Amino acid sequence: MNKRFLTYLLSTVVSFGAFAETILEQETSATDNIIYLIIIFLVILALALLGLVFLVGNHAYKEFRDSESRPPWYVGFFGVFHSDFEFIAAETTQDVVIHDYDGIEEYDNDMPSWWVKGFYLTIVFAFSYLGYYHIFGKGDLQTAEFEKEMARAEVLYPNADIKYMAPSTNAEDLKLGAEMFQKTCKSCHGEFAQGVAGPNLTDKYWIYGGDINTLYETIKYGRKGESIMPAQGTMFSNEDIYKLASYVMSVQGSNPANPLPKKETETIVYPE
């Protein structure tokens, strides 16, 4: 058991070392690298301490076992690694039989003391949690915590891209998206997105893709190739680009008059 445990501990430390090397090879800031290295060092230190506790505890258990004396509970715990479950088992009795079925008897044994104490602890924790979060409102619930984290992220990373789950269907968002489209995109894609110099945006054929995140990237960063799309990231905020992309998706299938035919470069079908 000792060899298996030490082998596992050593392999874990080595894997964390490889992870640290991978982190340092990435293009991250010096501060981030320091934080990563501190975390890795603390994890390795914790694993080393865990290994030390195991070795000392395992040795102490063997000493008590060889002396045939009952070890204290914090030493008896290590008997689990030697198939000795006296520490986690309750005292048994065969005085009272609850059930007897087909020769199989169930005795009225007490629950292990550690199990009962743990159960009482979960009750205390449950009432404490209920009071702290739901009755007295001292802690933030998941929704409030998420909103605070998002607000903090917007301050720390104002221009960070977000992977959206779906386009906006909010009427006000689509209205603002339509206004931006008429001011910025109309000259190339037409008043009704039917396509002029730029491709038709109302059919299901795309050059780069028609899902919400691909449209977001196309609008913000632009595209270079046979069909040039100028970047709009300096003109609009990320939220505005999301609304504009949502509007473009909302006009798919609208069948405007005189749509521009499908181009050879429009090889991506979305939605399929």
Side-chain angles (χ1 to χ4, degrees), residues 87-109:
F87 165 72
I88 61 175
E91 294 184 3
T92 59
T93 176
Q94 297 182 1
D95 296 336
V96 180
V97 178
I98 301 177
H99 299 102
D100 184 350
Y101 182 79
D102 197 20
I104 301 175
E105 296 179 336
E106 179 182 354
Y107 300 109
D108 186 19
N109 293 328

Side-chain angles (χ1 to χ4, degrees), residues 72-173:
W73 67 269
Y74 51 85
V75 175
F77 166 79
F78 292 92
V80 175
F81 300 102
H82 299 271
S83 301
D84 179 2
F85 301 101
E86 182 179 355
F87 165 72
I88 61 175
E91 294 184 3
T92 59
T93 176
Q94 297 182 1
D95 296 336
V96 180
V97 178
I98 301 177
H99 299 102
D100 184 350
Y101 182 79
D102 197 20
I104 301 175
E105 296 179 336
E106 179 182 354
Y107 300 109
D108 186 19
N109 293 328
D110 295 331
M111 296 295 295
S113 60
W114 64 266
W115 193 98
V116 176
K117 293 174 182 176
F119 178 69
Y120 290 148
L121 185 62
T122 61
I123 295 176
V124 173
F125 174 81
F127 279 103
S128 301
Y129 183 95
L130 179 67
Y132 185 79
Y133 286 100
H134 295 276
I135 297 178
F136 301 106
K138 296 295 185 180
D140 292 330
L141 296 179
Q142 288 181 333
T143 302
E145 186 176 4
F146 172 77
E147 291 174 350
K148 286 185 177 180
E149 287 293 325
M150 291 299 293
R152 181 171 176 269
E154 289 179 0
V155 174
L156 294 176
Y157 313 103
N159 203 39
D161 295 328
I162 299 175
K163 293 297 182 182
Y164 297 97
M165 299 298 295
S168 174
T169 56
N170 180 274
E172 187 64 27
D173 289 348

Side-chain angles (χ1 to χ4, degrees), residues 10-270:
L10 180 61
S11 63
T12 303
V13 171
V14 171
S15 65
F16 268 101
F19 174 73
E21 183 178 357
T22 302
I23 289 295
L24 291 176
E25 290 177 351
Q26 296 178 354
E27 294 182 359
T28 55
S29 66
T31 303
D32 290 339
N33 284 337
I34 293 175
I35 293 175
Y36 288 139
L37 290 176
I38 291 175
I39 293 174
I40 293 170
F41 171 76
L42 292 176
V43 171
I44 293 177
L45 180 62
L47 290 173
L49 291 176
L50 178 63
L52 180 62
V53 169
F54 176 81
L55 292 176
V56 173
N58 193 52
H59 177 74
Y61 169 79
K62 289 182 178 180
E63 292 289 330
F64 276 97
R65 183 188 60 185
D66 294 340
S67 64
E68 297 183 354
S69 58
R70 183 178 178 83
W73 67 269
Y74 51 85
V75 175
F77 166 79
F78 292 92
V80 175
F81 300 102
H82 299 271
S83 301
D84 179 2
F85 301 101
E86 182 179 355
F87 165 72
I88 61 175
E91 294 184 3
T92 59
T93 176
Q94 297 182 1
D95 296 336
V96 180
V97 178
I98 301 177
H99 299 102
D100 184 350
Y101 182 79
D102 197 20
I104 301 175
E105 296 179 336
E106 179 182 354
Y107 300 109
D108 186 19
N109 293 328
D110 295 331
M111 296 295 295
S113 60
W114 64 266
W115 193 98
V116 176
K117 293 174 182 176
F119 178 69
Y120 290 148
L121 185 62
T122 61
I123 295 176
V124 173
F125 174 81
F127 279 103
S128 301
Y129 183 95
L130 179 67
Y132 185 79
Y133 286 100
H134 295 276
I135 297 178
F136 301 106
K138 296 295 185 180
D140 292 330
L141 296 179
Q142 288 181 333
T143 302
E145 186 176 4
F146 172 77
E147 291 174 350
K148 286 185 177 180
E149 287 293 325
M150 291 299 293
R152 181 171 176 269
E154 289 179 0
V155 174
L156 294 176
Y157 313 103
N159 203 39
D161 295 328
I162 299 175
K163 293 297 182 182
Y164 297 97
M165 299 298 295
S168 174
T169 56
N170 180 274
E172 187 64 27
D173 289 348
L174 296 179
K175 179 181 177 182
L176 293 173
E179 293 175 357
M180 288 184 283
F181 185 89
Q182 294 302 321
K183 292 179 181 179
T184 309
C185 312
K186 174 181 176 181
S187 60
C188 290
H189 294 283
E191 181 179 0
F192 303 103
Q194 75 275 13
V196 183
N200 177 11
L201 301 178
T202 64
D203 59 15
K204 61 180 181 180
Y205 302 106
W206 302 86
I207 299 175
Y208 305 106
D211 62 279
I212 184 62
N213 290 302
T214 303
L215 283 175
Y216 174 93
E217 293 175 2
T218 300
I219 295 171
K220 182 174 181 178
Y221 299 107
R223 300 289 185 178
K224 294 181 180 180
E226 294 183 12
S227 180
I228 298 176
M229 167 68 189
Q232 307 295 325
T234 58
M235 296 181 59
F236 301 114
S237 67
N238 290 353
E239 186 66 21
D240 287 340
I241 294 175
Y242 171 62
K243 295 174 183 178
L244 177 54
S246 298
Y247 168 75
V248 171
M249 294 192 69
S250 73
V251 300
Q252 291 181 10
S254 58
N255 298 318
N258 303 316
L260 194 68
K262 172 182 175 294
K263 296 183 177 182
E264 293 182 358
T265 53
E266 293 181 293
T267 58
I268 299 175
V269 178
Y270 185 89

